[in-house]
Amino acid sequence: MNRERTAGKPAGEDGVGIVVPFLKWPGGKRWLAAEHRNVFPKKYKRYVEPFLGSASVFFALQPERALLSDANEELITTYRAIRSRPKAVMDALNRHALKHCDTYYYEVRSMRPTGLIERAARLIYLNRTCFNGIYRVNLEGVFNVPRGTKNTVVLPTDDFHTLSRVLHGAELENKDFEEIIDQSGDGDFVFADPPYTVRHNTNGFIKYNEKLFSWADQERLAAALARARRRGARIVATNANHSSIRELYAYHRFAQRTVSRFSSISATSSSRKQFEELVILGGRR
């Protein structure tokens, strides 16, 4: 018999304690998990996340069962490597740390390793030493972010063995978001945090997202989440607080609320500011 389980096991309960995500990812939701935890359901059968990124919400909730996916194959490969061989990934990252310099960064950026461990360590190394932790590829799929200012490759918070334990109950997929959401069922909790693309946008970063995630994808996502809600899944999604997004989810009869966060994805500190995002809610709480 399928029973709902209490969601997550933060520090002080039965879980492994506080887990710090090992990646810095544009649009990451550490702030949401820390400051707005009340938006997440307290009980569910399985956690489903189709846009995994840095997995901030997953690591905060630590669900016993999860279906995790992302369109970025290198990212999912990295999670699989940490789940199965955490020590080997840590050892490879330490080797990168010993050689780190400007020249070495661009050498690693140009590499195309094929092994599981090497691919994972390369992504983590580049993520920590590139400009602002941005993951961007050109039309040929080649990572092209320049070297940033940070030199710390191995962090004090790194605990890949604990990350491996938390990931143990998760399925990791590299699939389209719609296919993943369509696997959710009654009592599941779907958390969706897509690239923030809006209709008729004028924002440069969102214009870049449009190449990755079109307005048609936004419409497809809203429809998939509505289907999941009809099957009995609980929905929490985040998106740009823009009239086109609000209208799209109002059409599908989702509840909406706005929350504020600080954005650090900007070329200059003077242009980084507090702004609002949209949280979209559906299903039984």
Side-chain angles (χ1 to χ4, degrees):
M1 181 177 179
N2 239 344
R3 298 180 183 275
E4 291 186 344
R5 297 175 177 176
T6 300
K9 294 181 175 59
E13 298 181 21
D14 297 333
V16 299
I18 294 173
V19 176
V20 178
F22 63 96
L23 294 174
K24 179 182 179 183
W25 212 252
K29 290 299 179 289
R30 293 190 195 194
W31 63 273
L32 184 70
E35 300 171 22
H36 301 281
R37 197 171 178 126
N38 61 315
V39 304
F40 305 122
K42 296 186 181 302
K43 293 185 178 182
Y44 47 83
K45 292 178 181 176
R46 181 179 59 161
Y47 177 86
V48 179
E49 185 169 1
F51 306 96
L52 187 57
S54 62
S56 297
V57 172
F58 168 77
F59 285 130
L61 299 183
Q62 298 180 28
E64 295 181 21
R65 294 180 59 221
L67 172 60
L68 310 175
S69 182
D70 200 280
N72 185 330
E73 182 184 4
E74 290 297 308
L75 182 67
I76 293 301
T77 295
T78 300
Y79 281 103
R80 287 172 175 164
I82 288 178
R83 182 180 62 183
S84 62
R85 299 183 63 191
K87 183 180 183 302
V89 176
M90 191 73 249
D91 290 345
L93 191 60
N94 276 313
R95 290 193 290 272
H96 283 307
L98 291 173
K99 300 177 182 179
H100 174 61
C101 64
D102 286 355
T103 300
Y104 184 72
Y105 172 85
Y106 288 102
E107 288 177 358
V108 174
R109 195 182 76 165
S110 67
M111 292 176 180
R112 299 291 178 271
T114 57
L116 180 73
I117 303 306
E118 292 73 20
R119 290 171 69 185
R122 174 181 178 270
L123 184 141
I124 299 169
Y125 169 73
L126 293 176
N127 176 261
R128 292 179 176 182
T129 55
C130 74
F131 175 74
N132 262 357
I134 295 171
Y135 190 93
R136 183 187 66 206
V137 297
N138 60 22
L139 294 177
E140 287 73 44
V142 177
F143 183 81
N144 62 0
V145 180
R147 166 88 165 88
T149 58
K150 294 185 177 180
N151 292 306
T152 304
V153 177
V154 177
L155 303 177
T157 54
D158 284 337
D159 184 355
F160 290 177
H161 286 283
T162 296
L163 294 174
S164 175
R165 288 173 56 193
V166 176
L167 287 163
H168 183 73
E171 299 176 62
L172 289 165
E173 301 286 354
N174 170 221
K175 293 180 178 178
D176 178 78
F177 66 88
E178 188 172 7
E179 183 176 351
I180 296 300
I181 295 171
D182 282 347
Q183 293 183 44
S184 64
D186 185 31
D188 288 342
F189 164 35
V190 180
F191 175 66
D193 178 35
Y196 286 7
T197 305
V198 300
R199 180 183 284 167
H200 309 309
N201 72 77
T202 57
N203 178 286
F205 188 70
I206 294 178
K207 282 184 179 177
Y208 169 71
N209 281 344
E210 170 68 22
K211 299 174 184 177
L212 306 175
F213 200 77
S214 67
W215 179 253
D217 288 328
Q218 283 280 21
E219 294 177 315
R220 194 160 59 94
L221 171 61
L225 292 174
R227 292 195 302 272
R229 181 187 57 193
R230 288 195 293 271
R231 293 192 300 270
R234 295 150 188 176
I235 310 298
V236 175
T238 55
N239 221 307
N241 185 24
H242 186 270
S243 58
S244 61
I245 301 292
R246 293 193 298 269
E247 291 167 7
L248 175 63
Y249 282 91
Y251 172 80
H252 288 284
R253 300 183 181 279
F254 280 93
Q256 302 175 32
R257 70 167 71 169
T258 57
V259 294
S260 295
R261 76 171 177 94
F262 176 82
S263 174
S264 61
I265 303 301
S266 178
T268 62
S269 59
S270 61
S271 63
R272 298 170 191 169
K273 60 183 180 179
Q274 193 88 8
F275 68 99
E276 288 186 332
E277 295 192 14
L278 192 67
V279 175
I280 298 146
L281 305 167
R284 293 182 295 116
R285 310 306 300 158

